[in-house]
Amino acid sequence: MSTKLYKNLIGGEWVTARTGKTFLNVNPADSEDVVGEFQSSGADDVDAAVKAAAEAWKTWRLTPAPKRAEILYRTGEILTERKEEYARDMTREMGKVLSETRGDVQEAIDTAYYMAGEGRRLFGQTTPSELKNKFAMSVRMPVGVCGMIAPWNFPMAIPSWKLFPALVCGNTCVIKPAEDTPLSTFNLVQALMDAGLPEGVVNIVTGYGPDAGAPIVSHPGVRAVSFTGSSEVGRMVGQTAAANFKPCSLEMGGKNAMIVMDDANLDLALDGAVWGAFGTTGQRCTATSRILLHKKIAAEFTKRLVARADALKVGNGLDEHVQMGPQINQQQIETSIKYCEIAKKEGAKLQTGGAPLEDGVYDKGHFFAPTVFGQVKPAMRIAQEEVFGPVVSLIEFADFDEAVEIANGIQYGLSTALYSRDVNQAFRAMRDLEAGITYVNAPTIGAEVHLPFGGVKQTGNGHREGGTGALDFYTTWKSVYVDYSDKLQRAQIDTGE
Ligand code: NAD
């Protein structure tokens, strides 16, 4: 079967990249399964996309928000109809198991409906003026052309978190999907177009980060940039945007801790640990990569967690019986190997896993064994740095205060979890854990779209996706004063008499 060629979407037209180059999107579970051939774009392609988006903005910003929202609502319905097809495409390009890719599409559906509702809200404020016969209000204005750069681990959900709020607010968009997972962005935008999105409102430029991502950030026509990815790239994106005074939302890495107290329901905590550490093959920004164990339950928990990790069925995510898919590419496998070596050198004790799975059914993919390290100390690199693979570190503590100190002792601050039946500890955890998200008696993964999503410290730069925080990023506030006194009234000077 010949490989399907996908082109960039610019101004409603499907066009090849001006570079003349393409790249292949290959199934990480099966190197013989080529998902598609995509454009390897450069700065000229980005420039054309930005110009198309700027042209489309002239009419899109004047389209009433409830009408823009109706397109999102229809998009939600179309995605619902195509959920299974798009989930299968996503498993092929990204590797995670079908139940999770169905969840990824569902997250886009939830975001579509949630943001569709905003079309009839987008509330501003009215407030009294200090002067007579004068009216004051604030209104949300669209920003203009928004540039978006996405990672590969949530190939449809994350683009939907960016596109849907931007669109309902009246912006037009240029999006660059991750080079490992462009198809899911195509599917998402196809649903938008089938729902009636006008040409040029969303433009897709595929390609590698330095070639196709960097020009989006630096282009003078792009008024705001939304980036999700590693802290290393996020730092460069943020610096370029700052040099041009461009609003820039950065959602980056995590090193998320689950604290298990001695009074916790251990069965529940184990279920949470397995899902948090090995769901999406550990490749979630919110993955549970550190499990902090009260010393009284540490031995039992470790034994049971290792047994659960060993029992996980690893394989091609298209097989409904498989519980954990491959890593996204060979580079991520190398990273997992590297960190396992570092952990062993630092004195952590490998409990299980620690190596790629290569024989038999695994020989065509990028598989890594579910891995557990015991006797990890908080300062070790394996406890400090993001691995982004199925590798979890177990750290013992003596009391609640020590657990919070360890949990907070990292450069990241995305997600945290506490397992305890003590309500006092639960409230202290909600207050004291330095993170954008805290779960009580649930794992570090599982965000819902109508709540703010993002982190503190080196995880983010203060913006939020999801919830109304997204509206704050994709709009600017305009204050409007209407003076109907028919005379000059000077604020702070005239008394209004
Ligand atoms: P990455 O930083 O390598 O790539 C992210 C995107 O940036 C890709 O589209 C890539 O092509 C692009 N890019 C690379 N170099 C660029 C450059 N110089 N200029 C502009 N764009 C460039 O990250 P990844 O490997 O795709 O994703 C994994 C990372 O993303 C992890 O660190 C994970 O924690 C993080 N992540 C964070 C969140 C969150 O919301 N906090 C969500 C998902 C993933």
Side-chain angles (χ1 to χ4, degrees):
M1 209 172 74
S2 69
T3 304
K4 185 168 175 190
L5 178 72
Y6 292 85
K7 298 179 182 175
N8 286 334
L9 177 64
I10 297 181
E13 306 282 327
W14 297 105
V15 292
T16 55
R18 295 175 190 199
T19 58
K21 291 192 271 183
T22 59
F23 64 94
L24 295 179
N25 177 1
V26 179
N27 184 340
D30 179 0
S31 56
E32 286 174 11
D33 180 21
V34 179
V35 177
E37 183 179 358
F38 289 82
Q39 304 301 311
S40 183
S41 312
D44 289 345
D45 303 296
V46 169
D47 184 54
V50 174
K51 285 184 175 138
E55 189 58 32
W57 191 55
K58 291 177 187 164
T59 43
W60 184 245
R61 75 183 186 90
L62 301 177
T63 304
K67 295 281 169 218
R68 300 194 293 249
E70 281 169 21
I71 295 174
L72 291 186
Y73 187 80
R74 279 197 294 277
T75 303
E77 292 184 305
I78 292 169
L79 289 172
T80 304
E81 283 162 22
R82 299 178 189 167
K83 182 171 170 178
E84 191 59 24
E85 177 194 342
Y86 285 175
R88 284 180 180 274
D89 280 350
M90 195 188 300
T91 293
R92 272 183 73 206
E93 73 169 350
M94 192 275 168
K96 62 187 173 185
V97 297
L98 272 176
S99 57
E100 291 189 35
T101 51
R102 289 179 191 125
D104 197 308
V105 179
Q106 185 60 44
E107 205 162 322
I109 295 167
D110 296 344
T111 306
Y113 291 146
Y114 175 62
M115 284 301 162
E118 281 305 326
R120 286 185 187 271
R121 284 188 289 266
L122 286 180
F123 295 134
Q125 297 153 331
T126 59
T127 181
S129 166
E130 66 189 47
L131 294 163
K132 279 184 181 169
N133 298 321
K134 196 171 174 188
F135 183 85
M137 62 182 165
S138 64
V139 288
R140 288 187 183 274
M141 305 296 286
V143 177
V145 177
C146 295
M148 297 159 176
I149 299 174
W152 45 262
N153 63 342
F154 280 84
M156 187 173 284
I158 290 179
S160 81
W161 295 356
K162 298 184 187 307
L163 288 171
F164 294 170
L167 293 173
V168 82
C169 291
N171 304 287
T172 55
C173 310
V174 175
I175 184 163
K176 191 202 86 62
E179 49 272 35
D180 285 301
T181 57
L183 178 57
S184 295
T185 295
F186 276 73
N187 286 341
L188 183 71
V189 175
Q190 187 64 54
L192 274 165
M193 292 194 307
D194 293 343
L197 192 77
E199 292 182 349
V201 173
V202 171
N203 303 273
I204 309 174
V205 179
T206 54
Y208 294 95
D211 307 328
I216 293 180
V217 184
S218 59
H219 197 294
V222 172
R223 298 267 186 90
V225 174
S226 175
F227 168 86
T228 303
S230 61
S231 299
E232 190 189 352
V233 175
R235 188 184 306 279
M236 290 192 284
V237 168
Q239 284 170 350
T240 306
N244 296 292
F245 306 114
K246 216 176 260 193
C248 178
S249 165
L250 302 172
E251 295 294 345
M252 301 170 290
K255 189 72 192 172
N256 313 290
M258 166 192 286
I259 300 172
V260 186
M261 298 302 299
D262 52 344
D263 71 334
N265 174 342
L266 281 200
D267 294 336
L268 183 69
L270 268 165
D271 284 345
V274 173
W275 174 228
F278 304 120
T280 323
T281 321
Q283 302 171 121
R284 290 193 186 212
C285 50
T286 51
T288 306
S289 55
R290 298 181 295 157
I291 303 179
L292 279 41
L293 297 171
H294 192 285
K295 61 181 182 192
K296 281 193 196 151
I297 50 92
E300 184 192 346
F301 192 94
T302 304
K303 196 170 92 204
R304 291 176 66 188
L305 179 66
V306 168
R308 292 281 297 268
D310 287 344
L312 281 175
K313 187 166 163 40
V314 181
N316 188 326
L318 289 172
D319 176 345
E320 297 273 6
H321 302 293
V322 162
Q323 293 164 301
M324 192 182 99
Q327 291 211 254
I328 188 72
N329 54 35
Q330 190 54 32
Q331 196 188 328
Q332 288 300 131
I333 293 281
E334 303 296 339
T335 306
S336 295
I337 294 171
K338 180 183 93 178
Y339 275 103
C340 288
E341 291 311 314
I342 291 170
K344 283 187 253 175
K345 274 203 197 107
E346 286 181 316
K349 187 161 181 298
L350 181 65
Q351 302 284 342
T352 188
L357 299 168
E358 289 166 329
D359 299 335
V361 291
Y362 299 122
D363 69 344
K364 289 191 209 141
H366 309 294
F367 294 98
F368 201 85
T371 299
V372 180
F373 275 102
Q375 294 173 24
V376 175
K377 299 288 169 235
M380 290 180 180
R381 285 183 67 191
I382 191 73
Q384 291 285 327
E385 298 172 23
E386 189 180 42
V387 180
F388 227 54
V391 180
V392 66
S393 298
L394 308 183
I395 306 173
E396 285 188 35
F397 64 86
D399 58 28
F400 180 81
D401 288 340
E402 191 191 356
V404 171
E405 196 181 316
I406 296 169
N408 290 344
I410 47 160
Q411 59 176 336
Y412 297 112
L414 184 51
S415 187
T416 44
L418 173 80
Y419 279 79
S420 168
R421 285 184 268 212
D422 178 336
V423 72
N424 296 355
Q425 280 174 353
F427 272 86
R428 286 180 60 200
M430 286 182 242
R431 184 191 62 193
D432 295 340
L433 289 172
E434 292 173 359
I437 308 169
T438 293
Y439 292 91
V440 176
N441 292 323
T444 57
I445 65 180
E448 299 178 28
V449 304
H450 52 299
L451 277 84
F453 184 91
V456 299
K457 301 199 269 188
Q458 293 203 14
T459 293
N461 63 343
H463 297 285
R464 288 290 181 269
E465 298 199 294
T468 53
L471 306 178
D472 292 332
F473 184 71
Y474 291 110
T475 55
T476 60
W477 283 114
K478 176 175 276 191
S479 300
V480 179
Y481 302 91
V482 182
D483 190 322
Y484 54 99
S485 69
D486 236 5
K487 62 180 183 195
L488 174 66
Q489 299 196 90
R490 297 172 300 174
Q492 294 92 39
I493 295 172
D494 296 328
T495 58
E497 292 306 314

